[in-house]
Amino acid sequence: MSRDDDLPETPGRRRALKGALAAGALLAVPGMAEAQAADPTGRPADPTGTPADAVGARYRNPLVRNRADPHIHRHTDGFYYFTATAPEYDRIILRRSRTLRGLATATETVLWTKHPSGAMGAHIWAPEIHHIDGKWYIYFASAPAEDIWAIRIWVLENSGPDPFKGTWVERGQLRTAWETFSLDATTFTHRGSRYLAWAQHEPGMDNNTAVWLSKMSDPITLTGPQVRLTTPEFGWERVGYRVNEGPSVIKRNGRLFMTYSASATDFNYCMGLLTADARSDLMDPANWAKSPTPVFTSNDTTEQYGPGHNCFTVAEDGRTDVLVYHARQYKEIVGDPLNDPNRHTRVQRLGWKRDGTPDFGIPVADDRPVPDARSATDARSATDGHPATAIPPKERA
């Protein structure tokens, strides 16, 4: 999340500008975290030399083990709500804590489990929790048990004030223009309108997924056109798979910045960036400038590989922006990366350049040793004891 509305948020189609992150030298908002040079461990230092990624060393990575595609919502009740993909791809979980660090040991509750057959019976991926108009919503991806790659976007709703209580109602599939592979939905508001951004395969396109944007008439219904924000066009977006997915948006300094993830889910996985002026029409793809280079990538020095599928939140001080993402601690993987459960949730401070654009730096090193578990066949979840689910090779289109 962020300090604006219900954001970290999300946006629209690509216009590949080779000089990419918009011109103009906007100064950072007073008091906002500013990125400095990184030390050899990957921790950007503040002017006093204090590691800036942890905001006073409050965080230790990995924050939550064996949880990929993390999403953290900081609610008005003062709690951080955390959900993510479990490596068994069979359930939706939720944790809550008054601090980010507390999420590491917070009790994890299973809110919903996959159906034994039929719709929502396989590949429970990338849940996001949002509080909209007094109700809780979870957007997630799933497929029928009998057709596990027919992945679509689905929605749960809870009208109670506490998402751990009340009833989570299945509101059905969130319908897009085509019945094709779709996932990674996120929602945000801007200038009085609600938007949905997501990844989907477009019929006839030479890619696996592109990122799309549409306005919403309510939390489960798209309205008007859906526009393509970015499709895999650069080499770094087309390694293994031609993928743009996992959008997330943050509004700062008169602009909207949308991150997305690209390529296969191994060490080639990385993050790209789109930028739009906050005064522009977000539904016009020409108003989104695309960076020609990735903004967050694997790093051999800090031994962090495949960073991506991020969201944004804000630190306990209410001002410092925090990048939330997953990554592995090793490069080489035995078998399909989707069978490997060791994508762990990580957090670090998000810096800001003097021109008002985000400075992601590099994924910081872990603070402690971790098991050397590279085999998807033998790996097990350290947090819940569920065995890793055997999944056939990823077929996104």
Side-chain angles (χ1 to χ4, degrees):
M1 306 275 105
S2 83
R3 300 185 294 275
D4 299 282
D5 295 310
D6 194 7
L7 286 168
E9 295 163 28
T10 289
R13 178 183 193 167
R14 95 202 202 244
R15 173 180 153 207
L17 296 180
K18 299 262 177 186
L21 292 182
L26 290 176
L27 294 176
V29 172
M32 184 165 294
E34 186 142 328
Q36 307 292 330
D39 71 17
T41 68
R43 294 173 172 81
D46 69 15
T48 68
T50 303
D53 64 281
V55 189
R58 282 194 291 267
Y59 315 141
R60 299 184 69 185
N61 280 332
L63 181 70
V64 184
R65 296 180 57 80
N66 304 101
R67 295 293 178 264
D69 312 324
H71 185 256
I72 297 177
H73 166 77
R74 192 186 193 199
H75 192 45
T76 53
D77 61 5
F79 281 100
Y80 289 97
Y81 291 85
F82 168 87
T83 188
T85 300
E88 298 77 28
Y89 306 150
D90 64 354
R91 63 197 187 278
I92 294 176
I93 58 89
L94 189 65
R95 299 184 185 200
R96 174 172 60 189
S97 173
R98 290 202 176 273
T99 66
L100 284 169
R101 185 173 182 175
L103 291 171
T105 55
T107 299
E108 185 169 283
T109 298
V110 176
L111 299 182
W112 179 91
T113 57
K114 71 177 183 179
H115 293 188
S117 61
M120 295 180 282
H123 281 165
I124 310 305
W125 283 353
E128 286 200 5
I129 186 166
H130 295 266
H131 193 259
I132 305 170
D133 298 333
K135 297 181 181 180
W136 293 95
Y137 292 87
I138 292 177
Y139 300 86
F140 66 102
S142 71
E146 300 78 16
D147 190 2
I148 65 172
W149 296 108
I151 294 174
R152 304 291 187 269
I153 299 165
W154 297 78
V155 186
L156 304 178
E157 178 188 271
N158 188 333
S159 59
D162 185 344
F164 289 91
K165 300 177 181 178
T167 302
W168 283 98
V169 178
E170 296 172 358
R171 295 302 306 271
Q173 183 180 339
L174 195 155
R175 299 287 177 178
T176 63
W178 310 291
E179 278 295 318
T180 60
F181 188 99
S182 50
L183 70 170
D184 295 353
T186 191
T187 184
F188 66 98
T189 58
H190 183 59
R191 301 176 71 183
S193 295
R194 179 162 294 281
Y195 296 84
L196 189 86
W198 73 99
Q200 184 164 11
H201 175 68
E202 179 181 4
M205 289 291 287
D206 181 25
N207 65 20
N208 297 106
T209 53
V211 171
W212 297 84
L213 185 70
S214 176
K215 286 188 175 182
M216 307 184 79
S217 58
D218 59 58
I220 60 173
T221 309
L222 303 183
T223 185
Q226 59 183 50
V227 296
R228 188 193 324 120
L229 308 184
T230 173
T231 190
E233 57 192 309
F234 299 116
W236 54 271
E237 299 175 295
R238 300 163 69 93
V239 182
Y241 293 97
R242 299 175 180 184
V243 169
N244 284 174
E245 64 184 14
S248 186
V249 171
I250 186 168
K251 294 192 285 189
R252 294 289 181 272
N253 308 325
R255 280 169 276 186
L256 279 78
F257 302 98
M258 186 193 65
T259 50
Y260 63 92
S261 297
S263 289
T265 56
D266 55 16
F267 71 91
N268 294 293
Y269 206 53
C270 59
M271 284 165 45
L273 184 69
L274 301 174
T275 305
D277 189 298
R279 299 164 297 182
S280 66
D281 177 6
L282 301 186
M283 292 301 295
D284 183 351
N287 290 329
W288 290 93
K290 179 174 178 175
S291 172
T293 57
V295 295
F296 202 56
T297 62
S298 294
N299 189 277
D300 287 322
T301 300
T302 60
E303 297 184 308
Q304 299 296 306
Y305 300 100
H309 202 119
N310 77 291
C311 73
F312 301 98
T313 190
V314 65
E316 292 84 349
D317 63 8
R319 297 185 306 150
T320 304
D321 292 309
V322 176
L323 175 66
V324 184
Y325 62 98
H326 72 235
R328 291 188 180 90
Q329 297 136 324
Y330 46 84
K331 180 182 289 188
E332 301 304 326
I333 299 170
V334 177
D336 191 319
L338 283 178
N339 294 343
D340 184 292
N342 294 314
R343 291 182 294 174
H344 306 318
T345 295
R346 294 173 164 82
V347 294
Q348 65 190 65
R349 173 172 150 171
L350 178 68
W352 293 92
K353 301 176 184 177
R354 294 191 181 278
D355 67 356
T357 60
D359 189 337
F360 294 88
I362 62 176
V364 299
D366 287 340
D367 290 319
R368 55 190 155 205
V370 294
D372 185 16
R374 289 173 168 77
S375 171
T377 304
D378 299 331
R380 295 293 184 269
S381 168
T383 56
D384 51 35
H386 286 71
T389 305
I391 301 294
K394 195 172 189 178
E395 300 171 11
R396 291 177 174 263

